[in-house]
Amino acid sequence: MSTFQSPGTWVAGLAITGLLIFFVRRDRLRRLPPGPRGWPIIGNMYDLPLQGEPVPWLKHKDVYGPISSVTVLGKTIVILNDLQTSIDLLERRSSIYSGRPIFPFAGSLVGWDQQMLLAQYGEHFRTMRKMLKSYLGSPSAVSKFQPIQELETRYFLARILENPANLMTEIRL
């Protein structure tokens, strides 16, 4: 019996063919903005820039328009290349696009999904954000720190007056 006639070879071949068909059809069924066609499984991994250079994404604007997308290892990245489009999508339709990533281990299993950092957008998240804003974002909360800010500003200016050449080292972010 030759290698190609064994049942294991046929099963493995059918499984690989089925997986390839699944990945190719799945990408075609999703409604995404236009973008370069990727490879099965790895997607557009080779289209990503190496060190945060924005130039490849600017080319996408000329080819695919103000909104484009790439898929890398099953994760879709939507690229917004136009200020007005970004404002329309992220401000005016923020309730649609305000989802947050889900971390199953830290969220569900450990129970941190109720903390503001990992909470999904909803009533619980809005309540926590409102409570936090009352302590951090209100003018009365900010006014409590004004004397400390003035004192530190005076220290900073005194250091700059002593040695103006060290301006960049004195700026601590």
Side-chain angles (χ1 to χ4, degrees), residues 2 4 9-10 19 79 89 97 112 143:
S2 77
F4 294 110
T9 304
W10 281 102
L19 282 173
I79 303 160
L89 290 176
Y97 302 114
W112 289 352
S143 66

Side-chain angles (χ1 to χ4, degrees), residues 158-167 169-170:
R159 289 191 305 266
I160 297 302
L161 279 174
E162 281 181 24
N163 193 355
N166 282 345
L167 175 64
T169 58
E170 292 294 337

Side-chain angles (χ1 to χ4, degrees), residues 100-121 124-125 128:
R100 308 178 86 192
I102 297 172
F103 299 102
F105 181 76
S108 328
L109 296 175
V110 177
W112 289 352
D113 56 348
Q114 297 301 309
Q115 305 300 319
M116 187 170 179
L117 184 64
L118 296 177
Q120 293 300 308
Y121 190 79
H124 178 69
F125 179 80
M128 286 191 298

Side-chain angles (χ1 to χ4, degrees), residues 124-143:
H124 178 69
F125 179 80
R126 285 193 295 272
T127 304
M128 286 191 298
R129 189 176 62 194
K130 188 184 290 186
M131 288 172 44
L132 186 65
K133 187 176 186 292
S134 68
Y135 289 105
L136 295 179
S138 67
S140 62
V142 172
S143 66

Side-chain angles (χ1 to χ4, degrees), residues 31-163:
R31 296 182 61 209
L32 293 172
R37 187 159 175 87
W39 292 90
I41 300 173
I42 64 168
N44 302 97
M45 181 182 284
Y46 295 117
D47 294 332
L48 293 178
L50 296 176
Q51 278 291 333
E53 54 189 68
V55 177
W57 308 131
L58 294 177
K59 294 176 189 170
H60 278 226
K61 181 180 181 183
D62 298 335
V63 177
Y64 302 109
I67 304 175
S68 60
S69 67
V70 293
T71 304
V72 179
L73 298 173
K75 293 289 183 185
T76 301
I77 302 169
V78 176
I79 303 160
L80 303 175
N81 278 317
D82 182 44
L83 178 63
Q84 189 58 43
T85 305
S86 301
I87 290 171
D88 289 344
L89 290 176
L90 299 177
E91 283 186 4
R92 296 190 183 138
R93 301 182 193 177
S94 62
S95 62
I96 300 172
Y97 302 114
S98 60
R100 308 178 86 192
I102 297 172
F103 299 102
F105 181 76
S108 328
L109 296 175
V110 177
W112 289 352
D113 56 348
Q114 297 301 309
Q115 305 300 319
M116 187 170 179
L117 184 64
L118 296 177
Q120 293 300 308
Y121 190 79
E123 189 60 38
H124 178 69
F125 179 80
R126 285 193 295 272
T127 304
M128 286 191 298
R129 189 176 62 194
K130 188 184 290 186
M131 288 172 44
L132 186 65
K133 187 176 186 292
S134 68
Y135 289 105
L136 295 179
S138 67
S140 62
V142 172
S143 66
K144 293 177 187 175
F145 299 104
Q146 188 173 359
I148 298 169
Q149 290 175 339
E150 286 181 7
L151 181 65
E152 289 297 326
T153 302
R154 288 184 183 143
Y155 288 152
F156 171 72
L157 292 174
R159 289 191 305 266
I160 297 302
L161 279 174
E162 281 181 24
N163 193 355

